[in-house]
Amino acid sequence: MSRGGAADRLALAEGAALLRQPPGTALELAGYGGRFRADVACRIALTGAPMRATLEGAPLTWNASHVLPAGAVLEIGGALSGVYGYLTPGGGFDLPEELGARSAHLNAGLGRLLEAGDRLPLAADKGRETGLTLDPVDRFGGGLLRVLPSLQTGMFPEEMRARFVEERFARDSRGNRMGIRVTPEGEGYGLTEGQSIVSEVITPGDIQIPGDGAPYVLLYECQTTGGYPRIGTVIPADLPRVAQAAPGVELRFRFVSRAEALEAEAGYRRALGAIAVRPLVRDPADMPDLLSHSLISGVTAGEEHS
């Protein structure tokens, strides 16, 4: 089975940073959120594709951590840009591990989509700090994707490879956690010979070219083997940009060297472990009950703080 896990690993790390805890479990919100209520007061962080969020009708800042009081209703609407938003609880979820993870892997039949009325147990949260925010990495509007040559890159004519890096592609409406289809401006990239190859191992980031010539960029729930030729492989550091590309968003490709890809990967891993957060400065107009908020770090009213 393929790796699975968060479609946007950077958003998962951002949620953990806002709660000052190691990356763990979160709710992945594909295009739309929902209504949530906790039986006990808990901390939450909202990251990934920005979505409209309210707590008991009052707006909540995205890319920030907050307190969710016991019984209060959190509502999260549709994505304003991007695709995948994330709701991370303080301490994570107290769920059993399967194959070393607590995430669902729908394509492999592990776990399932959440349904109305589902209840998820919260794990113990040792942290207390909230009211933090961050500046997210810009990855919600498409853009340039760095690509390494694959085993079949040389099968594509030189003219076709040159057109591949010059052309602009649009994210198609077809796509899920297995991968997304991108539509070229002009003709497709099908091969006259070698369109079908012996099935072999494939990996997230591979750009498969099926019979219609429109590339598919594979993501973390992709199949493990395939028989379509691959014109290249998007490097892991750019996969969050692929996952967060909404239908119609423009994407472009650029081949890079192995050395450049390794340097980008090293920088990406460093960035995941060094996400900068800062106190969230609130507008008093959005705080109808000032006494319910922590106005000075460590000072709260009653038993709640935000």
Side-chain angles (χ1 to χ4, degrees):
M1 58 179 289
S2 51
R3 181 174 179 177
D8 182 352
R9 299 184 185 280
L10 182 52
L12 193 68
E14 289 172 339
L18 288 168
L19 296 168
R20 299 198 187 280
Q21 64 188 26
T25 51
L27 292 181
E28 185 174 81
L29 313 172
Y32 190 85
R35 299 177 75 248
F36 306 92
R37 179 186 289 110
D39 294 335
V40 297
C42 62
R43 301 186 304 149
I44 61 169
L46 303 171
T47 58
M51 299 174 169
R52 289 190 176 90
T54 60
L55 180 60
E56 292 294 298
L60 281 186
T61 301
W62 203 259
N63 292 308
S65 56
H66 309 275
V67 165
L68 180 59
V73 175
L74 168 67
E75 293 196 57
I76 302 178
L80 303 176
S81 62
V83 177
Y84 293 101
Y86 292 82
L87 168 57
T88 305
F93 294 105
D94 187 15
L95 297 170
E97 288 191 358
E98 291 188 81
L99 299 180
R102 292 183 174 87
S103 59
H105 192 306
L106 303 180
N107 194 40
L110 297 177
R112 61 173 176 81
L113 294 173
L114 292 181
E115 299 175 352
D118 280 346
R119 300 173 67 90
L120 294 172
L122 295 173
D125 182 9
K126 298 179 180 179
R128 295 190 62 185
E129 190 172 7
T130 56
L132 299 175
T133 188
L134 54 77
D135 295 319
V137 175
D138 181 15
R139 59 191 184 278
F140 306 110
L144 184 64
L145 304 173
R146 291 165 290 186
V147 175
L148 279 171
S150 79
L151 294 176
Q152 289 91 43
T153 300
M155 296 173 57
F156 293 84
E158 182 177 351
E159 174 276 329
M160 191 175 289
R161 297 198 303 270
R163 180 164 57 88
F164 180 71
V165 298
E166 294 170 356
E167 194 164 15
R168 299 174 186 271
F169 296 80
R171 157 67 152 93
D172 191 270
S173 60
R174 282 167 282 187
N176 52 28
R177 287 175 47 81
M178 290 183 65
I180 65 168
R181 183 180 188 266
V182 295
T183 305
E185 292 176 304
E187 59 186 271
Y189 289 82
L191 296 173
T192 55
E193 296 181 4
Q195 182 59 48
S196 295
I197 59 175
V198 175
S199 186
E200 61 181 9
V201 65
I202 57 177
T203 187
D206 279 350
I207 308 169
Q208 287 191 321
I209 308 295
D212 64 1
Y216 268 88
V217 186
L218 302 182
L219 291 171
Y220 290 112
E221 279 193 21
C222 65
Q223 65 273 30
T224 55
T225 60
Y228 290 128
R230 294 161 291 175
I231 196 169
T233 301
V234 176
I235 66 173
D238 287 350
L239 285 181
R241 190 177 294 275
V242 176
Q244 294 289 13
V249 162
E250 181 183 287
L251 293 166
R252 293 175 291 115
F253 300 97
R254 176 173 70 88
F255 282 105
V256 297
S257 66
R258 183 173 182 272
E260 187 176 349
L262 289 174
E263 182 180 357
E265 177 67 10
Y268 175 58
R269 294 189 181 190
R270 287 193 300 269
L272 288 178
I275 296 173
V277 299
R278 65 180 187 279
L280 173 64
V281 179
R282 300 178 181 85
D283 183 350
D286 294 330
M287 302 165 64
D289 181 8
L290 293 179
L291 294 180
S292 69
H293 293 267
S294 175
L295 304 181
I296 303 174
S297 179
V299 178
T300 63
E303 298 181 10
E304 297 177 2
H305 64 286
S306 174

